[in-house]
């Protein structure tokens, strides 16, 4: 074919004659060339070519009536390319010609309407809140002048001319043959979707009137009515309040029409339900007047009338059932979209849904009543009853009527129950027992539903209820990407223990997760709660399991899959629950795992069947894993042979998802079959383990296996290695198998795609196996080198995991003894690059490893390079667990008598250049642990303290002496007066340094120091304040010397109470009182309770602060005393009349959520409303302050609201299932309109909720879009200071990040359930892409790098 003409007007003119050629192929290719020219030409190359474009339009209109469909399609493409490039004055006549085009040759009558829709969509959409582009404005002008009059049949917006001709009959009007053009409604929908925000009120009213006329016409078809409902729902998004009020009033008048037919009734209900989903925030206020018309067809009387009519006539009224179906769908929309406005009507909604979920005219009411009563039976029913029920189930399933549509009513009722469960469970109907008392029994009774669509909805609703019952928070999880490692929390917890116990041994403990992954013991049976959702679930478990067991024996794949999902959620929610009933489901479960016997002959049908079977097998395997992980081995023992055979076969399945889940199930079976969980030593158990070992090893080394399969196989192999390596007297793996296994893990460690999983497996093995004969020398050395090599990788998660594995290697004495000098030197060399302050999490772990290596082989670790590195680190702002780890390393260096060079470097190269507190602790630790080998004595620092010419050197000397005194303990020669002499110094830093050093030294020698400090505490002024700091240090670091403090405890409490009355002393005094309360809770907790009732706000505030310091650093003895009184104290604090005290109380609740979750979770229904109350803006706390000529508003309640939102964030993370999502999202939406700090917190909460509850988040997309648009649209003033601009940029970046997450996580997965509902979000997304394209690109890149 000849090349296409040039992209010029002349090229277009040359092609036009060919569009009338007799050969369809020439017409098609010419249109293709024309489309290429139009697309490749510049945006304005036809702007001044009116006549050329007019001729082109005429020719394209003729080709739209072509007899060849392909030519018509190509012509429509050309219209899409021509429209945005055509001269503006050509657009109105173009619309006119397209809207009046009549096709005579074409078979497809929708071509003109399709061309019109293409014309509308070819222009950029107007963005709400932004100025329309010129081309968009010109397109709207043509649409307003021509298309809207053509749709409605009259001129809506007059242009001022008197002799303006009337348009032809409207496209939406009834035609001469009494029909409605469905294609015209499609044009209307596209018009509203694209240009709805630009429509004038008169145009909206005209379009609404024409659309409603479609409903009123008796000849309107069902398809046209459904499309009209979509159109009116879209139009409602852009209706002003006045027009929406009038529209709803019209609907109310139609409902009250005495001559309303069933078809009209159903249509009105459908329209109302659609409006609720489209404009939920504006529609909620109409529910009070509209809801009676929705609930009317769902009343008890309507239900009884329907059953009586069906019994009399033998058939159900189809139109009446359609009305009930529409009413239930509308009710579901109200519950999902307007859940807060539906609260007053909760009982009516529940009763209506319960009533019709069992509606079946083919079964008598007596039978229904019997089924309802039968759900209350407990587990006392025996197997004979099961057989009888099976027969009943089969008889009911035999009832069939092709004309019966009542199943649609039951399905919609089940969906309405699902909506109630989804929106009203957390902290609401779930906690007060309504869901389990009223809804759950009815759902269980419907397990015998004969229609599968309804049965699946019933099972899904009950599954949602069980899932809501679980306390576990769902977080994003990806096995392949689970490489992140954080040290701070784990080391911080061990660091707190070390401070209390005075030992650093716990720093080398293996993570608890390693032991839990290996499953060392059978899970303990969870105690049955006496009340609450879990107790309600436990009471119904027997009925649920018995019902599911029947479904698994005789139902379809989809029902079996839904039933298995329900069982899995029950096991996870109860951490067990199948102990008495596993025998009922074991065989059907094993059958579900097994591979299908045959494959369909049809290729398409075969793919669908295999996909369905694969999903069923995946769910069954997940249930097996859950059962094994949450139940005793004795429960599973009778079915082990069958489970092992089915699981091993599934591991070899070609479908990688089945194989992957099968490996997880195999791992759980390994834990069941191996000691110490397995009580048996029989040969048969060894045979099962041999099978599992073989299949896991084969998947681990297979090169053709999917990456996820290999990664999970490596983890399972690590579990088997741990369980088979001398954990008991029974040897599960032979020496040869163990050698082969560790070799495979080392090989996988060297492979780039599997190294993360291999590191985890090796870490598990090293942290669990302590026997010397189990750990091989050569393998251990190779592993140490490979793990060290991973520390150079760019992947921080891999570095963290490798560092943790090295920590467990050197913490395992058997493994550490295998390392020779060469290996130690190599590992040390690879660790040194991590010894810097750039990443404190990795630094702390590296220091711990080095400390262990120093004790093992000091001469191969401590050298000039290590000393230089440590001197560089010590000047960084170290603290907490990282500082503790640093001191542990220095102590090891000193004890191994290799600390002299390091001491010289610290004194000469560092000295006062670093923080005196940190450097002093380092030198003091080295002085005590190194003794005479470090080249300096304690007296040298005493002399330095007395003779140093500047305060920095004195502060350093004080810190050294304080640390030395702490570590020397009672043998310390230092006297308290050495430190207290500086309390009166006029220096700004010296008195505080002396107080800290005094307390540090006193922690090691309480009997000598504490009396002196208490004496100073009784003095007024600065000495009292400094003495309080010294007491704080003693209480924080006393450790095992607490017995020495006993004689002084009461005196100390009295002194603290007196000293803390001063405003400057309140904070430090409260901390001291809190730490003292932990030591003697029986004495001092009642005292704090009495303080909370004190008339003085200052005393109450001090008590609140003291309670907070008791929560993070306490033990089991303290918890037993605190547990019954914590919640009453929290409630008293939250109701304190003093604003500042309520802020402090919110901090206490926040800390309690982190540290005492088990105590406060059952009482969150009392605590959360108090937090919600404090998160609201209170106008009485906002005052106006005059600053010169300006007036400024000050919100005294801002800090309290900030604390409230921080507490809500913590509660959301740890106890989301106990919070009402409706109330929580209400506060988040309000927070997005609050001050900057509250906006940031609210945005962080949304960031979490995208994953925690995507369904509920999707329901609030429109509200989020409105508030996000307001945040991004705000522009700072020209004279705004830098801090204000930075705050705005921070807020915008956070908003854009969550915007991208919502777009990708929710809308990409269609989680919102309705495309209409997210129209506002679509408009906001388009606006954000247009105005913040560079920032969005940066955020998307950041998110991709985080998930890579």
């Amino acid at each position: 074919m000849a090349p296409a003409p040039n992209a010029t007007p002349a090229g277009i003119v040359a092609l036009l004659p060919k569009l009338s050629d007799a050969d369809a192929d020439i017409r098609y290719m010419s249109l293709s060339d024309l489309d290429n020219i139009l697309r490749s030409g510049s945006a304005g190359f036809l702007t001044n070519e009116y006549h050329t474009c007019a001729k082109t339009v005429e020719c394209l209109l003729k080709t739209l009536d072509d007899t060849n469909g392909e030519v018509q399609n190509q012509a429509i493409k050309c219209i899409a390319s021509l429209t945005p490039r055509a001269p503006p004055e050509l657009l109105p006549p173009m619309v006119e010609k397209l809207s009046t085009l009549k096709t005579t040759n074409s078979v497809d009558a929708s071509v003109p309407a399709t061309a019109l829709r293409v014309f509308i969509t070819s222009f950029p959409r107007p963005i709400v809140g932004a100025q329309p582009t010129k081309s968009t404005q010109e397109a709207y002008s043509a649409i307003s002048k021509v298309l809207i009059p053509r749709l409605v049949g009259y001129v809506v917006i007059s242009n001022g001319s008197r002799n303006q001709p009337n348009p032809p009959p409207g496209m939406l009007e009834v035609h001469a043959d009494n029909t409605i053009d469905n294609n015209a409604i499609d044009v209307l929908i596209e018009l509203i979707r694209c240009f709805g925000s630009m429509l004038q009120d008169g145009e909206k009213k005209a379009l609404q009137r024409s659309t409603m006329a479609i409903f009123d016409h008796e000849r309107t078809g069902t398809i046209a009515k459904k499309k009209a409902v979509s159109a009116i729902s879209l139009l409602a998004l852009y209706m002003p309040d006045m027009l929406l009020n009038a529209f709803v009033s019209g609907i109310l008048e139609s409902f009250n029409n005495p001559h309303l037919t069933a078809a009209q009734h159903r249509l009105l209900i459908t329209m109302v339900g659609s409006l609720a989903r489209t404009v939920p925030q504006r529609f909620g206020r109409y529910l009070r007047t509209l809801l009676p018309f929705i609930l009317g067809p769902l009343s008890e009387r309507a239900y009884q009338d329907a059953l009586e009519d069906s019994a009399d006539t033998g058939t159900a009224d189809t139109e009446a059932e359609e009305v009930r179906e529409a009413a239930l769908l509308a009710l579901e929309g109200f519950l999902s979209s307007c859940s807060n406005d539906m609260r007053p009507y909760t009982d009516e909604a529940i009763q209506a849904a319960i009533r019709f979920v069992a509606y079946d005219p083919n079964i008598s009411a007596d039978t229904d009543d019997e089924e309802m009563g039968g759900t209350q039976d407990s587990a006392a029913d025996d197997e004979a009853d099961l057989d009888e029920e099976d027969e009943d189930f089969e008889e009911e399933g035999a009832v069939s009527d092709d004309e019966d549509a009542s199943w649609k009513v039951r399905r919609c009722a089940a969906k309405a129950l699902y909506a109630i469960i989804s929106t009203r469970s957390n902290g609401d109907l779930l906690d007060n027992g309504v869901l389990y008392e009223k809804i759950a029994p009815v759902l269980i009774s419907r397990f015998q539903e004969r229609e599968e669509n309804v049965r699946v909805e019933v099972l899904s609703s009950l599954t949602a209820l069980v899932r809501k019952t679980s306390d576990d928070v769902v977080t994003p999880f990806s096995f392949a990407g689970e490489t992140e490692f954080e040290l701070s929390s784990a080391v911080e917890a061990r660091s707190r223990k070390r401070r209390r116990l005075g030992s650093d041994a716990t720093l080398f403990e293996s993570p608890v997760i390693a032991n839990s992954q290996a499953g060392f013991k059978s899970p303990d049976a969870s105690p049955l709660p006496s009340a609450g959702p879990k107790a309600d679930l436990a009471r119904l478990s027997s009925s649920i399991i018995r019902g599911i067991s029947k479904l698994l024996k005789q139902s379809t794949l989809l029902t079996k899959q839904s039933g298995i999902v329900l069982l899995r959620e029950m096991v996870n929610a109860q951490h067990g629950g199948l102990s008495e009933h596993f025998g009922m489901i074991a065989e059907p479960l094993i059958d579900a795992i097994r591979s299908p016997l045959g494959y369909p002959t049809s290729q398409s049908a075969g793919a669908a069947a295999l996909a369905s079977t694969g999903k069923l097998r995946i769910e069954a395997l997940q249930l097996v894993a859950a059962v094994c992980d949450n139940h005793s081995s004795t429960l599973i023992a009778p079915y082990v042979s069958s489970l092992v055979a089915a699981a091993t076969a599934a591991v070899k399945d070609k479908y990688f998802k089945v194989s992957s889940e099968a490996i997880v199930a195999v791992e759980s079976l390994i834990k069941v079959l191996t000691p110490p969980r397995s009580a048996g030593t029989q040969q048969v158990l060894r045979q099962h383990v041999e099978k599992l070992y073989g299949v896991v090893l084969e998947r681990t080394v297979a090169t053709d296996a999917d990456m996820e399969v290999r990664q999970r196989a490596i983890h399972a192999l690590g579990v088997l290695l741990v369980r088979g390596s001398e954990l008991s007297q029974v040897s599960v793996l032979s020496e040869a198998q163990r050698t082969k296994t560790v070799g495979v893990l080392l090989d996988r460690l060297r492979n780039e795609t599997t190294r993360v999983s291999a590191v985890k497996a090796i870490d598990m093995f090293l942290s669990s196996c302590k026997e010397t004969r189990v750990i091989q020398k050569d393998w251990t050395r190779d592993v140490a080198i490979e793990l060290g090599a991973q520390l150079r990788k760019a992947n921080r998660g891999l570095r963290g995991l490798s560092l943790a594995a090295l920590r467990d290697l050197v913490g395992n004495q058997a493994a550490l003894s295998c390392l020779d000098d060469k290996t130690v030197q190599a590992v040390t060399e690879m660790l040194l690059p991590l010894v810097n302050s750039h990443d404190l999490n990795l630094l702390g772990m590296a220091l711990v490893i080095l400390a262990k290596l120093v004790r093992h082989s000091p001469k191969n670790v401590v050298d000039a390079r290590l000393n230089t590195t440590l001197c560089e680190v010590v000047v960084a702002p170290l603290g907490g667990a990282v500082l503790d780890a640093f001191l542990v390393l220095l102590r090891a260096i000193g004890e191994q008598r290799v600390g002299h060079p390091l001491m010289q470097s610290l004194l000469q190269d560092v000295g006062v250049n670093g923080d005196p507190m940190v450097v002093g602790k380092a030198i003091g630790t080295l002085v005590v642990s190194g003794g005479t080998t470090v080249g300096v004595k304690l007296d040298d620092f005493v002399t330095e303290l007395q003779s140093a010419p500047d305060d920095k050197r004195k502060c350093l000397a004080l810190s050294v002496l304080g640390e030395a005194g702490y570590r020397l303990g009672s043998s310390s020669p230092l006297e308290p007066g050495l430190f207290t002499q500086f309390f009166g110094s006029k220096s700004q830093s010296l008195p505080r340094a002396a107080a800290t050093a005094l307390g540090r030294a006193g922690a090691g020698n309480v009997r000598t120091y504490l009396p002196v400090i208490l004496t100073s505490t009784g003095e007024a002024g600065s000495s009292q304040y400094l003495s309080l700091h010294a007491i704080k240090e003693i209480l924080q670091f006393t450790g095992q010397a607490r017995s020495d403090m006993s004689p002084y405890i009461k005196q100390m409490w009295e002194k603290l109470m007196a000293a803390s009355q001063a405003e400057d002393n309140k904070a430090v005094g409260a901390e001291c009182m809190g730490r003292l309360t932990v030591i003697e809770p029986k004495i001092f907790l009642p005292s704090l309770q009495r303080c909370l009732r004190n008339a003085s706000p200052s005393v109450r505030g001090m008590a609140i602060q003291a309670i907070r310091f008791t929560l993070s650093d306490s033990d089991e003895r303290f918890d037993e005393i605190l547990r019954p009184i914590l919640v009453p104290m929290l409630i008293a604090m939250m109701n304190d009349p003093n604003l500042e005290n309520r802020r402090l109380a919110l901090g206490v609740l926040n800390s309690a959520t982190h540290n005492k979750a088990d105590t406060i979770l059952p009482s969150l229904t009392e605590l959360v409303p108090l937090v919600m109350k404090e998160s609201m803006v209170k106008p009485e706390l906002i005052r106006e302050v005059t600053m010169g000529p300006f007036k400024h508003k000050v919100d005294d309640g801002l800090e309290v609201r900030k604390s409230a939102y921080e507490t809500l964030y913590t509660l959301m993370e740890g106890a989301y299932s106990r919070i009402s999502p409706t109330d929580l999202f209400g506060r988040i939406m309000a927070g997005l309109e609050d001050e900057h700090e509250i906006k940031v917190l609210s945005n962080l909460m949304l960031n979490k909720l995208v994953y925690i509850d995507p369904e509920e988040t999707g329901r609030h997309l429109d509200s989020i879009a409105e508030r996000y648009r307001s945040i991004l649209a705000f522009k700072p003033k020209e004279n705004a200071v830098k801090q204000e601009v930075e705050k705005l940029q921070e807020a915008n970046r956070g908003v854009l990040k969550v915007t991208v997450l919502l777009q990708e996580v929710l809308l990409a997965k269609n989680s919102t359930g309705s495309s209409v509902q997210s129209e506002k979000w679509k408009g906001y997304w388009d606006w954000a892409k247009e105005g913040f394209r560079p920032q969005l690109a940066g955020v998307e890149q950041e998110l991709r790098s985080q998930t890579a």
Side-chain angles (χ1 to χ4, degrees), residues 985-1129:
S985 173
K986 296 182 180 180
S987 169
Q988 292 184 351
S989 56
L990 201 54
R992 182 66 179 273
T996 303
L998 175 65
R1000 186 72 168 168
N1005 192 358
V1006 174
R1007 294 182 182 275
T1008 302
Y1009 280 75
L1010 189 55
V1012 177
I1013 297 174
L1014 289 177
T1015 302
S1016 299
T1017 307
E1019 301 175 2
S1022 60
S1023 295
Q1024 186 180 69
Y1025 175 76
L1026 295 171
S1027 297
L1028 289 176
H1029 276 281
I1031 292 175
K1032 184 185 76 171
E1033 289 291 319
I1034 290 178
L1035 292 172
Q1036 187 173 0
F1037 294 100
T1038 299
Q1040 294 176 341
R1042 285 181 177 175
S1043 59
D1044 297 338
M1045 198 184 301
S1046 301
Y1048 310 100
I1049 282 182
K1050 290 186 178 181
Q1051 181 187 359
M1052 194 185 311
W1053 181 266
E1054 294 172 356
K1055 295 279 188 179
L1056 289 172
M1057 283 290 293
S1060 299
Q1061 300 301 315
E1063 189 64 29
D1064 292 341
N1065 299 342
K1066 186 188 298 183
V1068 64
E1071 181 176 353
C1072 294
M1073 292 171 66
R1075 297 189 183 279
L1076 196 58
T1077 302
V1078 176
I1079 298 175
E1080 290 293 343
K1082 289 184 178 180
I1083 299 175
F1084 299 128
L1085 267 179
S1087 298
L1088 289 179
Q1089 281 184 287
R1090 288 192 296 272
C1091 290
L1092 291 176
R1093 298 190 294 269
N1094 193 287
S1096 171
S1098 177
V1099 174
R1100 297 199 304 271
M1102 178 188 62
I1104 293 172
Q1105 287 180 286
I1107 292 171
R1108 180 178 183 180
F1109 285 107
T1110 67
L1111 300 176
S1112 60
D1113 199 12
S1114 53
D1115 50 28
E1116 294 180 1
R1117 182 175 64 93
F1118 176 83
D1119 291 346
E1120 288 297 324
I1121 302 172
L1122 177 69
R1123 189 171 291 115
I1125 63 174
L1126 176 59
V1127 172
M1129 285 197 300

Side-chain angles (χ1 to χ4, degrees), residues 138 154 250 252 339 512 570 634 654 671 680 834 862 886 972 1013 1104 1119 1134 1181 1242 1244 1271:
E138 293 166 348
Y154 58 90
L252 285 171
S339 56
V512 177
M570 287 179 60
T634 55
K654 295 181 180 179
K671 298 173 186 177
L834 297 180
V862 181
F886 186 80
S972 170
I1013 297 174
I1104 293 172
D1119 291 346
M1134 296 289 294
L1181 296 178
S1242 300
L1244 288 173
I1271 295 173

